Amino acid sequence: MKYLTEFRNGEVAQRIAREIHQVATRPWKIMEVCGGQTHSIIRNGIDQMIPAGIEMIHGPGCPVCVTPLNLIDKALAIASQPGVIFCSFGDMLRVPGTDRDLFQVKGNGGDVRVVYSPLDAVELAVRNPDKQVVFFGVGFETTAPANAMSVHLAKRRGLKNFSVLVSHVLVPPAIEAIMSSPGNKVQAFLAAGHVCSVMGYWEYPPITEKYRIPIVVTGFEPLDLLDGIRRAVIQLEKGEYRVENAYERIVSFAGNLPAQQLLSEVFEVADRAWRGIGVIPKSGWRLSAPYREFDAEERFQISGIHTEESPLCKSGDVLRGAIKPAECPAFGKECTPRHPLGATMVSSEGACAAYFNYGRFLSAEDLAHAGAALTGVANG
Ligand code: SF4
């Protein structure tokens, strides 16, 4: 428990917050890239400890949230096929596709299973040679090494009944896309510490140079986040822009080299669609040619899917940092964790779920409504 208590010390948090108040002379807009950081900021009230003028903008860093609807619809179509065992992490089961979710496919007789590791899916394939086992491989650079390892292992074992529906996205191109977007408001980034634990932060200095923007590699505990904000504000106030590593206990400049080697063997960089954002060039991975036989999209050749986003859902605006979740008209009304309209309300890293679960941003009327919905969740 040492690391947890050490980075949750209230007195130290107050001291860092006071320092931020002393340093900040102007309003600044800082984006935390990762949804895990968003939850920690809201849960710990960090946005309320810092000066009112420093706005935390919530970035697109939730793997479930950015998986495009079309791919979720493909997952639903594959999972519905007879003879398929469809494996996913739990969050994905409740993400709405155009007209249903994986839970409903399961309820209708589909063999949909929650796994805790892609390697479990490989084992399922070994034990069920008469079935096609498909793993939904979503995520940023953080989860990609385990998914790459599962494909590597399947190839080594000569499995013909294992495949991965790949939806891997990469953080640096997303930062560039946000900085290049016409209405961009972001003036500094807190980079996601767990992504950097795999990839290091050697990709970031050219971005800080190109956009003249501070990037601080930041962890997830309250003191990590306050320290990341403090460092970003100091740079902004001085007019500096460079990469700083505020997560040295986990992250090195070079990152995890064996993991990066495995990733570059199993995957190749490709253009990727991000839900609510659109296609970002070279922002994702797909299986490389030697491993393409394990690509579920190639194996199942699903076509003719009709994909339609909920007209009520503003998750694209939330993911771009253009609006806060509570500014969505459906927030806490038509859309709750029990009846989510968008992935940002479903995912444990989703910004809408963070705002809803910690409920500080609702009107009294909305709080009563949300309270009823939460009771429903607790009883559900
Ligand atoms: S509150 Fe619900 S409907 Fe609104 S953006 Fe978030 S997920 Fe979409």
Side-chain angles (χ1 to χ4, degrees):
M1 293 298 285
K2 180 169 178 277
Y3 267 157
L4 289 185
T5 50
E6 204 172 331
F7 293 95
R8 293 179 181 178
N9 183 306
E11 279 177 29
V12 181
Q14 294 293 347
R15 184 160 48 76
I16 301 174
R18 274 198 300 277
E19 195 181 335
I20 297 170
H21 278 266
Q22 284 161 4
V23 169
T25 63
R26 283 172 281 171
W28 299 110
K29 297 184 190 307
I30 302 171
M31 175 176 274
E32 83 279 3
V33 172
C34 170
Q37 292 173 330
T38 302
H39 273 252
S40 188
I41 287 169
I42 305 299
R43 185 175 59 239
N44 293 296
I46 287 170
D47 54 326
Q48 297 185 323
M49 294 175 73
I50 59 180
I54 297 179
E55 185 186 351
M56 299 308 296
I57 300 180
H58 313 310
C62 161
V64 173
C65 303
V66 299
T67 301
L69 186 58
N70 180 264
L71 207 63
I72 290 168
D73 284 338
K74 271 188 189 167
L76 293 164
I78 293 171
S80 302
Q81 295 199 6
V84 166
I85 301 175
F86 193 88
C87 302
S88 166
F89 295 142
D91 270 7
M92 260 307 176
L93 266 63
R94 296 184 60 239
V95 174
T98 296
D99 53 15
R100 60 201 161 134
D101 59 30
L102 283 167
F103 260 130
Q104 285 166 295
V105 172
K106 190 174 172 64
N108 289 333
D111 194 346
V112 177
R113 303 190 192 185
V114 172
V115 292
Y116 297 98
S117 159
L119 302 181
D120 295 343
V122 175
E123 282 309 311
L124 270 176
V126 171
R127 291 204 305 272
N128 295 274
D130 56 330
K131 300 277 175 105
Q132 282 291 329
V133 175
V134 183
F135 177 71
F136 203 173
V138 306
F140 288 80
E141 294 92 329
T142 331
T143 51
N147 295 350
M149 180 55 81
S150 73
V151 177
H152 186 77
L153 198 60
K155 189 175 177 71
R156 218 173 61 198
R157 289 184 166 193
L159 295 180
K160 301 295 177 201
N161 65 330
F162 175 78
S163 57
V164 180
L165 186 59
V166 179
S167 182
H168 278 304
V169 284
L170 306 174
V171 168
I175 290 180
E176 293 221 45
I178 289 164
M179 288 308 298
S180 306
S181 66
N184 172 55
K185 301 183 285 186
V186 180
Q187 294 166 298
F189 284 94
L190 305 186
H194 51 14
V195 166
C196 297
S197 71
V198 175
M199 301 304 292
Y201 55 95
W202 50 270
E203 295 172 283
Y204 291 130
I207 299 175
T208 56
E209 283 296 322
K210 183 173 174 184
Y211 298 99
R212 304 167 72 88
I213 189 163
I215 298 179
V216 182
V217 179
T218 306
F220 300 86
E221 295 299 331
L223 297 193
D224 290 325
L225 286 154
L226 281 163
D227 187 37
I229 295 165
R230 182 183 67 87
R231 292 182 189 226
V233 171
I234 289 172
Q235 282 199 50
L236 287 165
E237 289 284 340
K238 289 183 175 173
E240 296 174 349
Y241 48 88
R242 63 178 183 280
V243 185
E244 277 188 67
N245 182 7
Y247 203 32
E248 274 185 331
R249 67 185 186 278
I250 304 288
V251 171
S252 66
F253 181 74
N256 183 332
L257 295 178
Q260 291 173 36
Q261 198 174 357
L262 178 68
L263 289 168
S264 62
E265 181 187 331
V266 173
F267 294 123
E268 64 188 25
V269 172
D271 297 348
R272 270 267 159 216
W274 293 54
R275 191 170 189 175
I277 295 177
V279 174
I280 303 178
K282 298 182 178 170
S283 69
W285 276 315
R286 63 174 184 175
L287 290 167
S288 63
Y291 293 91
R292 196 73 47 77
E293 63 183 295
F294 298 99
D295 186 338
E297 283 194 84
E298 301 246 336
R299 186 166 298 181
F300 290 90
Q301 296 288 331
I302 301 293
S303 59
I305 291 176
H306 170 69
T307 291
E308 196 174 316
E309 294 278 0
S310 160
L312 291 175
C313 184
K314 308 284 180 212
S315 61
D317 293 339
V318 172
L319 290 167
R320 278 196 308 276
I323 64 166
K324 290 276 197 301
E327 290 165 9
C328 167
F331 179 81
K333 300 184 182 82
E334 294 90 347
C335 183
T336 65
R338 190 170 175 80
H339 295 290
L341 293 180
T344 43
M345 186 60 93
V346 175
S347 167
S348 59
E349 291 191 8
C352 297
Y355 274 61
F356 188 92
N357 290 334
Y358 305 114
R360 289 182 279 115
F361 300 89
L362 300 172
S363 66
E365 184 193 348
D366 288 342
L367 268 173
H369 190 96
L374 279 172
T375 306
V377 171
N379 297 335

